[in-house]
Amino acid sequence: MNRFKEVSTWLLVILAAAGLALAGCAGAKPKPGEVFSCVKESKLEKTIAPEAQLEEFSCVFKKKWGSETLHFNVAIKNVSNTDQRFKVNIFLDNGKAVGGLLPRKIKKGLVKPGQTAKFVYPVKGMDKEPKAIMLIVKTMGK
């Protein structure tokens, strides 16, 4: 009987340690409205056109489509000496992707040299942080 008590005590200690280890790895999800770094720098694959400079790439959870949804904050600066329009693509590790054009509409003109264009891209159905991201910024033809 004493041996059974000893084995069950050790089993309880091992299970408690495993539970703490798993809980520690999970980490806390950022609060809604709190801007955070989307992924570690090593998990962010970037391909940026020479005419563009990435000024901001961050994430935030906001209410959209009835739930807290991941949004990407993107700001691109035109570092060339001509007006530009940029195409932004964001690919996630789970197969989801978002993107668009900066500026979205050219009625007011393109991004002038030295200016920065910003946009927020929501990802439908994404309620957790991504593990890896591929970011591509290209220039559009005139």
Side-chain angles (χ1 to χ4, degrees):
M1 192 68 146
N2 196 13
R3 181 142 172 88
F4 178 73
K5 240 184 184 179
E6 189 175 303
V7 169
S8 64
T9 303
W10 278 109
L11 185 61
L12 183 64
V13 168
I14 290 171
L15 287 174
L20 285 173
L22 289 175
C25 293
K29 181 178 172 182
K31 295 176 183 164
E34 179 182 309
V35 177
F36 61 96
S37 175
C38 301
V39 290
K40 294 179 184 176
E41 194 65 33
S42 63
K43 297 291 183 175
L44 177 61
E45 183 182 333
K46 295 185 279 189
T47 305
I48 311 289
E51 299 86 1
Q53 179 180 331
L54 187 63
E55 292 285 302
E56 179 185 5
F57 186 70
S58 61
C59 289
V60 65
F61 283 102
K62 295 183 194 176
K63 191 94 167 160
K64 183 144 180 129
W65 299 302
S67 65
E68 293 298 327
T69 303
L70 180 69
H71 289 66
F72 290 103
N73 300 319
V74 179
I76 307 291
K77 182 176 183 178
N78 181 0
V79 292
S80 72
N81 53 9
T82 60
D83 294 0
Q84 296 290 339
R85 189 175 195 195
F86 301 105
K87 182 177 181 181
V88 177
N89 293 105
I90 304 168
F91 300 98
L92 306 180
D93 59 315
N94 63 359
K96 292 187 180 282
V98 293
L101 299 173
L102 283 178
R104 283 186 51 230
K105 298 179 181 179
I106 57 172
K107 187 183 256 186
K108 295 181 184 176
L110 302 174
V111 181
K112 305 276 185 225
Q115 286 186 334
T116 301
K118 298 178 182 182
F119 196 74
V120 179
Y121 299 98
V123 186
K124 190 170 188 171
M126 190 72 175
D127 60 352
K128 59 185 177 189
E129 296 178 53
K131 291 182 176 63
I133 298 172
M134 181 190 309
L135 172 66
I136 300 172
V137 178
K138 298 178 183 178
T139 56
M140 297 295 295
K142 304 278 189 244

